[in-house]
Amino acid sequence: MKKLLESILPRVQKYSKQINDESILKNKQWVLIDEHGITFVTYIFRDKNLLLVSKKGNVSKGSWEYISKDKILITVEDKTYLYRNQYFDDKILLLKKDSSELYDIFINDSLIDEGYDSLEKLEILFKKSYLVDEAQKNSKISSSYNSEVNILKDESKDTTNGAKANGKFITKLLITLLVIASLVWLILGYL
């Protein structure tokens, strides 16, 4: 699980919401999922920092508290855990226990109805929702680059104005190279 998360997290974290976005966190059923799939442990973050934890229908009460924009304190059955937000949106809540390599993955129960009941299926959801968009952006960038190169080639063939045409060609070539360098920098920043 850790290997899977470490491979995909850096590419999707930019889409994450802040953990203190109560409109997404509260009053929804967040189901804990592990390497084997659904655990049937459901967390419901309520008003006044009340936490309900249901394990196969047996409910215990706990509490939760924001520590900062990316940390949350969760107390269940007299045990308190400090978590750091790794990824959060209306479908997935990925928390990492502070100062450890342990992750807890929660999914909105609506995803279970859609068939996302394992880590492998969640990976597909991430790729479908976010990484495909990145690939499409990169494809558009590549297409734009090819168009610029073709324009430059056509303009370099224009010899009616001699040195003036060469000067325009060199200027446009330099601008294109700067644009390409910027795009490469952006793309590498996303990977």
Side-chain angles (χ1 to χ4, degrees):
M1 174 169 73
K2 181 183 168 199
K3 192 174 188 177
L4 169 69
L5 292 173
E6 287 177 349
S7 71
I8 205 164
L9 266 178
R11 298 184 287 171
V12 298
Q13 279 181 322
K14 63 185 165 213
Y15 301 107
S16 181
K17 308 279 188 218
Q18 298 295 327
I19 191 73
N20 61 357
D21 188 341
E22 291 186 15
S23 65
I24 298 174
L25 181 67
K26 286 175 34 178
N27 298 317
K28 294 187 174 120
Q29 296 183 32
W30 294 98
V31 180
L32 185 63
I33 193 166
D34 65 14
E35 297 91 6
H36 308 294
I38 299 170
T39 62
F40 297 103
V41 178
T42 303
Y43 285 61
I44 304 170
F45 298 86
R46 308 281 306 263
D47 289 328
K48 299 181 182 176
N49 298 76
L50 176 64
L51 176 65
L52 301 178
V53 180
S54 173
K55 295 179 184 176
K56 297 183 181 178
N58 298 317
V59 178
S60 58
K61 292 183 179 181
S63 64
W64 61 276
E65 176 184 351
Y66 296 122
I67 300 300
S68 67
K69 67 180 182 178
D70 69 336
K71 288 187 179 180
I72 188 169
L73 195 66
I74 296 178
T75 302
V76 180
E77 297 175 352
D78 297 326
K79 294 180 183 174
T80 302
Y81 305 96
L82 179 61
Y83 288 98
R84 181 177 297 273
N85 177 30
Q86 297 298 300
Y87 183 84
F88 177 51
D89 67 13
D90 61 333
K91 297 178 181 176
I92 298 171
L93 171 59
L94 177 58
L95 300 173
K96 184 177 180 183
K97 287 185 182 169
D98 197 48
S99 301
S100 81
E101 297 300 315
L102 301 173
Y103 292 91
D104 281 345
I105 302 172
F106 299 88
I107 60 172
N108 189 308
D109 71 336
S110 65
L111 283 180
I112 295 169
D113 297 335
E114 296 174 30
Y116 295 102
D117 56 0
S118 68
L119 289 177
E120 292 77 20
K121 291 179 182 176
L122 287 178
E123 180 181 19
I124 291 168
L125 175 67
F126 269 125
K127 287 179 178 177
K128 185 170 68 172
S129 298
Y130 301 113
L131 302 181
V132 169
D133 290 343
E134 286 301 318
Q136 288 172 349
K137 267 191 225 173
N138 292 342
S139 173
K140 287 178 185 175
I141 289 169
S142 176
S143 174
S144 174
Y145 163 74
N146 289 335
S147 297
E148 286 291 323
V149 168
N150 288 335
I151 290 169
L152 288 173
K153 284 180 184 176
D154 290 343
E155 288 180 358
S156 70
K157 292 177 187 175
D158 181 15
T159 56
T160 56
N161 290 330
K164 190 174 180 182
N166 283 338
K168 283 184 180 178
F169 172 75
I170 290 171
T171 302
K172 287 191 177 186
L173 179 63
L174 289 174
I175 291 171
T176 302
L177 289 174
L178 286 172
V179 169
I180 292 168
S182 298
L183 293 174
V184 167
W185 178 79
L186 285 172
I187 291 169
L188 292 177
Y190 286 129
L191 298 177

